[in-house]
Amino acid sequence: MFGREGLPLGILVAQSRFSGIDYFWSPAFWSGGQGFKACRKRLLMWSFILTAGVIAVFAGPSIALLMTATRYINWAAGSASFWLAGDEASLWPITLDVSAIGGTECLNPTLDTLNKQVLNMSGCIWAGYASISQYLKEKHFDLGDTALVIDDGIVPRDVILQSTRVSLETWAHASNVPYPVLPLYDFSSDLSYNLPARYFMSLRISTQWLPTPNGNTSTNEDGSKNEYPSAFISIQVPVNGSNSSGNIFTCSVDARWALGTNVFGFSLDAAIAEQCGSISNTRSSDDIEFTVNNFLPIDDGSWQTVHLGLDWLNTLTPQLDSNHLCWTSLADMLRGAGVDNSTGLVSYWGGIQDIIEGSIATLVADGMSRVGYSANGGSPNNFLLRGDFEFPYAAGYASNNSTELYFSITVTGFGYTADSTAYYLALTVLFTYALLALLHTVYSLWTRTACDAWESLSDLLVVSQNSPPALQVLKNTSAGIRDHATLRTAVRVRVVSAAGRQKFSPEQEELHLLYGPGIDVTTYEEVKIGEKYGALT
């Protein structure tokens, strides 16, 4: 207002009204802006006030939105390459036989050994029996789609299990350095092979792995095939305490090795570290129906079919009674889950297929994930955080008989992420405000000028009361301003000159608020920055 042109009356009230949206369609805003003679200055003032108004309205909600941490973010916290004892052929063998069971100490375990969950026996392919058995017992016949935790001492592991329900197929995957997946996606749910199986006269559940045939085998599709899945199994469940009648369930297993990522870390609601694997190419469970194609993983070209040998399978489900050839750990597991109707809850024998398939798929996936355990071990230390450490080769293994893998460490926590229009708009509002504040600061430092006079309505009211009335310019405005021309009137603050002092009494103020284009230059002069003003005397 102490500039040469002054401010239009309509713009003068902007400092107290710009935070209200209604100001921007009022005559004060539009007519006041037209009070500037230069079009460029008029547009700049309108833009500046409009921007300030938008910031005033949306700054609060923008800050509230941006300060709400609703996302989990992973930050890189180091990495290292390491070597596993064994080459790819021994870590991910195409044929699993007795050489891949975890060592000779894993042969012929007793039921007591299976239930102990001894940490130094975790390399045995049957080491997950206790956790799986307890889980199936708790779930009973309500298996569904779930993730179970297998306790490997201090590092529990997650195993993903899903039943397709309609197609009588169940798939599972378990995580570790080797990565098994069951079964193949492109399967035929109606195909069955005609294989000889032995029937046992027994009052207990009997399980037997069947050898994979050589050559062609007749099928139910009026022909024969010489392509087979990884394994076949027959399960005999007695009915009503009879050893001469019962139900026989036959299943096939299609096992694959697949590349994936093994994640190890602490969950937010527990202090126990867990590890869980994931496959990069998967379908969303929301995008598929419960049909024969209800299989989430997608072959990315890395999948390898695995043949499961009888010696490996029999070690996975060891015989528990020398007098009963087919009373195995799998049979005991199914008995604990109530498959033999010992609980009296089986009303429909076809309804127990999920628990049988889930038991088989989980045992095989867990057993495959333990291949290579026995030859590897050790614990990482804080030097991993540097991200450049390289583990030495495993003791006793040369570089040509070792496999290099890589792992990285991430820190997970709440974070802030701009990933929607609302966040982008909120950031725009705050950055614009920061830019205006920065420009104002630079201008004040450059010109060495900062004015806090007439900041409030009361300041303007006082200086107006101490100024001579503008009777002609403000004529007929005592009941309110209706003429837009009045809002365009320039308002200036001027100081009484030395020659004009004689026109006023000594008690009056030096600064006056003047309206209109014409100013008596003999009475007033422009305000000087840095001067102190008050009464004339």
Side-chain angles (χ1 to χ4, degrees), residues 41 45 59 62 64 100 120 142 198 227 237 260 270 287 300 325 338 378 415 457 464 472 475 483 485:
K41 191 171 185 179
M45 184 58 68
S62 298
N120 60 7
D142 184 23
R198 182 179 178 184
E227 296 178 355
V237 180
D287 297 337
D300 60 357
L325 181 62
L457 181 61
S464 179
Q472 292 299 322
K475 187 177 181 179
D483 189 354

Side-chain angles (χ1 to χ4, degrees), residues 201-217:
M201 302 289 289
S202 175
L203 295 175
R204 293 192 290 188
I205 298 176
S206 301
T207 66
Q208 56 176 326
W209 295 100
L210 305 179
T212 302
N214 294 319
N216 294 334
T217 298

Side-chain angles (χ1 to χ4, degrees), residues 198-208 234-238 242-249 324 331 334:
R198 182 179 178 184
Y199 182 80
F200 294 88
M201 302 289 289
S202 175
L203 295 175
R204 293 192 290 188
I205 298 176
S206 301
T207 66
Q208 56 176 326
S234 173
I235 299 174
Q236 179 182 317
V237 180
S242 173
N243 64 353
S244 60
S245 64
N247 297 299
I248 295 181
F249 298 87
H324 192 308
L334 295 176

